[in-house]
Amino acid sequence: MRSLQLRLSLGLLLSLLLAFMLLWLLVSNASRYLAENYITTRLQHDTESLLTAVQFRNDGQLSLDHRLLNPIYQRPFSGHYYKIQSGHTRLRSRSLWDQDLVVQPLDVGQQHRRHLRGPQQQPLLMLTSRFNKDNRQVTISVAENLSPVEADLAHLQYYFTLAAVLLLLGLMAVQGLILHAGLRPLDRTRRELQALVQGQLTHLDQNVPTEISPLVEEINHLLTILDNRLKRSRHALGDLAHALKKPLTVLNQLAHDPVLADHPELQQNLLNQLASIQHPLSRILQRARLAGEGPVSTLFSFDEEMPALLNTLQQMYYSKSLRIEQNLPAQLSLAIDREDMLELIGNLLDNACKWAAQTVRITVSRDDDAFTVIEIEDDGPGVAEDQLAALTQRGTRLDETTEGHGLGLAIAQEIIISLSGRLQLQRSPSLGGLQVRVVLPA
């Protein structure tokens, strides 16, 4: 369970269910307790009436003055019953008909209440009391049918349960609104993180609740550290290239010194090695100039970045008088680090310009699945089908006569893999040379 809102909702729901269950039990038991106490009070009144009606004849036999009794005790199975015992004499209400009540023995002054089953399996509440009247001990048991009370309690429980369920649903709806409002800052921070990944922001807004403020501060601190490290790396790369450029210029001048004219093989070998160093060095200097001082995670915009990149390539290959065609959608941006895209497209275009005869073409589009498709093709000699797979291996060069180190496509392949994309190599159907097709996820 990864959703914080779902976790809080389930926790509160379980708490509310437990509270309502306890409340339901409390109300049910309290209602039954009050109802039985009320019935017990009525049974006590009937017991006192029966005690008043109890008479002992001269022969010691027990008798009752029925004029003092409630007529309900005369109707069979009325739900109101009594039983009077004194010695071996037993008097029962007519309402018992041929049934009897089981009475537990008590001492004088004691009183006992219990539940039992009476005539026709009626649930009864029976109150038994033992008295001393006219120097004779009398036990009076009075019982009442609880069926009407239990029916009323069942209705009460039904309506209480219905009200509790409705109240619980209402509380859950209110809780959802409260949680949604309470977690809104987290949702805003999530959107800021997405904007951060897409290069639209450089830091998160720290105007957040106290609970997540330390997290936001640590993320911003980490972003600052990474930004500083990447800037230092860029600057170090540019500084290194500038530091090497001057001694390489001196070495190039020495390579053309007349003294080496007597050693043409040595001179040519030296010139070739210097050229192999100067080409990647020149590209690094151009990349350092293009990178500038922008944020490390700036959104890559084709409208803003491609003109400078194409202009750099035109200058690097001015001797070939290349025509670089571009088919780019207007205002297309990618949520990919600017430096990664410059490295990727720069390497692919550099490779195409290197092998092209006259024309290089770059086409960018979006397919039906919202993937970004970048196609770079040239009108060069192309590559045989059985050699395409070897092109993406670091250091592989199929033509040693062309200047380069064989790293361009390998570096591009590594960047594409890091972006979860795909690289496809084939012959260009329109220009005849190599076509590099890059598919990047949205």
Side-chain angles (χ1 to χ4, degrees):
M1 188 187 304
R2 297 184 178 182
S3 172
L4 183 59
Q5 182 171 354
L6 179 60
R7 186 178 302 176
L8 292 174
S9 298
L10 289 179
L12 186 55
L13 175 60
L14 293 177
S15 301
L16 289 175
L17 286 175
L18 180 60
F20 274 99
M21 289 176 61
L22 293 176
L23 184 60
W24 185 86
L25 292 173
L26 178 62
V27 170
S28 299
N29 291 332
S31 301
R32 179 175 292 276
Y33 176 78
L34 292 174
E36 291 187 359
N37 279 351
Y38 175 75
I39 294 174
T40 300
T41 301
R42 195 159 61 192
L43 294 177
Q44 288 175 341
H45 293 162
D46 288 354
T47 298
E48 292 173 359
S49 298
L50 286 170
L51 182 60
T52 303
V54 168
Q55 297 177 355
F56 291 95
R57 297 196 296 265
N58 293 332
D59 58 359
Q61 293 298 317
L62 183 65
S63 64
L64 281 176
D65 185 355
H66 292 282
R67 294 174 301 175
L68 301 177
L69 299 181
N70 192 325
I72 198 170
Y73 288 110
Q74 302 300 318
R75 190 170 71 243
F77 308 123
S78 64
H80 294 264
Y81 313 101
Y82 69 78
K83 180 179 180 180
I84 303 174
Q85 304 176 75
S86 180
H88 296 290
T89 305
R90 306 283 189 274
L91 296 178
R92 295 179 302 164
S93 63
R94 183 174 175 77
S95 57
L96 278 170
W97 201 247
D98 59 348
Q99 303 291 317
D100 196 5
L101 297 176
V102 179
V103 179
Q104 295 179 346
L106 296 175
D107 294 331
V108 175
Q110 286 187 332
Q111 196 174 66
H112 181 257
R113 188 178 77 177
R114 72 186 184 98
H115 294 82
L116 72 159
R117 288 288 173 179
Q120 299 180 335
Q121 294 300 308
Q122 296 171 338
L124 302 179
L125 177 63
M126 185 174 71
L127 179 66
T128 302
S129 305
R130 192 168 181 83
F131 303 96
N132 191 347
K133 184 175 182 179
D134 297 336
N135 296 322
R136 291 180 175 87
Q137 295 184 359
V138 179
T139 301
I140 301 176
S141 299
V142 185
E144 183 174 335
N145 184 13
L146 292 177
S147 296
V149 175
E150 291 185 346
D152 291 339
L153 289 175
H155 280 89
L156 175 63
Q157 290 175 342
Y158 170 78
Y159 288 114
F160 177 79
T161 302
L162 181 61
V165 170
L166 294 177
L167 182 59
L168 179 62
L169 293 176
L171 288 175
M172 289 300 299
V174 173
Q175 167 211 310
L177 295 176
I178 294 175
L179 281 178
H180 181 72
L183 295 177
R184 190 172 299 165
L186 286 179
D187 187 61
R188 187 189 66 186
T189 301
R190 178 184 60 81
R191 292 194 300 270
E192 289 182 356
L193 285 171
Q194 291 177 343
L196 184 70
V197 172
Q198 295 174 355
Q200 300 171 359
L201 294 177
T202 57
H203 287 83
L204 300 179
D205 184 7
Q206 293 186 334
N207 185 21
V208 294
T210 307
E211 289 76 9
I212 63 172
S213 178
L215 176 62
V216 172
E217 291 177 359
E218 288 301 320
I219 291 176
N220 285 338
H221 180 62
L222 179 61
L223 289 172
T224 302
I225 292 176
L226 292 176
D227 185 68
N228 290 335
R229 287 180 179 176
L230 285 177
K231 285 181 178 178
R232 286 197 298 269
S233 297
R234 291 177 187 173
H235 293 161
L237 186 65
D239 293 343
L240 177 62
H242 281 290
L244 291 176
K245 190 173 183 180
K246 183 176 180 180
L248 284 175
T249 302
V250 174
L251 288 175
N252 191 49
Q253 293 175 353
L254 292 176
H256 290 85
D257 194 285
V259 176
L260 292 178
D262 297 335
H263 306 279
E265 293 184 1
L266 177 61
Q267 186 181 41
Q268 186 60 42
N269 187 24
L270 180 59
L271 289 173
N272 290 340
Q273 296 301 319
L274 286 173
S276 65
I277 295 175
Q278 285 176 330
H279 180 72
L281 182 62
S282 176
R283 185 167 58 87
I284 291 174
L285 284 173
Q286 292 290 347
R287 280 195 62 233
R289 183 180 64 82
L290 287 174
E293 297 296 330
V296 297
S297 298
T298 303
L299 193 71
F300 183 82
S301 171
F302 284 91
D303 291 339
E304 297 177 3
E305 307 295 346
M306 290 305 298
L309 181 59
L310 296 180
N311 182 59
T312 299
L313 291 169
Q314 292 280 13
Q315 293 179 11
M316 291 174 60
Y317 294 95
Y318 69 93
S319 60
K320 300 181 69 172
S321 300
L322 290 176
R323 182 176 70 254
I324 303 179
E325 301 175 356
Q326 51 180 323
N327 299 315
L328 307 176
Q331 299 180 346
L332 176 62
S333 299
L334 296 181
I336 299 176
D337 184 77
R338 172 176 176 269
E339 285 301 297
D340 289 341
M341 286 301 297
L342 283 175
E343 178 78 11
L344 172 62
I345 298 178
N347 272 290
L348 296 179
L349 284 173
D350 180 41
N351 188 76
C353 292
K354 183 188 305 179
W355 293 98
Q358 291 182 334
T359 305
V360 173
R361 181 185 300 150
I362 175 171
T363 304
V364 181
S365 61
R366 285 277 176 87
D367 64 9
D368 296 336
D369 297 324
F371 283 78
T372 300
V373 180
I374 303 173
E375 295 178 342
I376 297 176
E377 48 194 331
D378 62 73
D379 61 348
V383 180
E385 292 289 337
D386 57 348
Q387 295 178 326
L388 288 176
L391 285 181
T392 56
Q393 298 178 7
R394 183 175 288 269
T396 298
R397 296 176 59 195
L398 302 181
D399 188 350
E400 296 293 336
T401 63
T402 302
E403 182 181 329
H405 287 78
L407 298 177
L409 287 177
I411 294 174
Q413 171 84 327
E414 293 175 359
I415 296 174
I416 293 169
I417 292 175
S418 69
L419 298 176
S420 302
R422 301 191 306 273
L423 175 65
Q424 300 171 351
L425 303 177
Q426 60 187 24
R427 181 171 293 277
S428 172
S430 57
L431 299 182
L434 178 67
Q435 182 188 65
V436 181
R437 191 171 188 267
V438 178
V439 181
L440 299 176

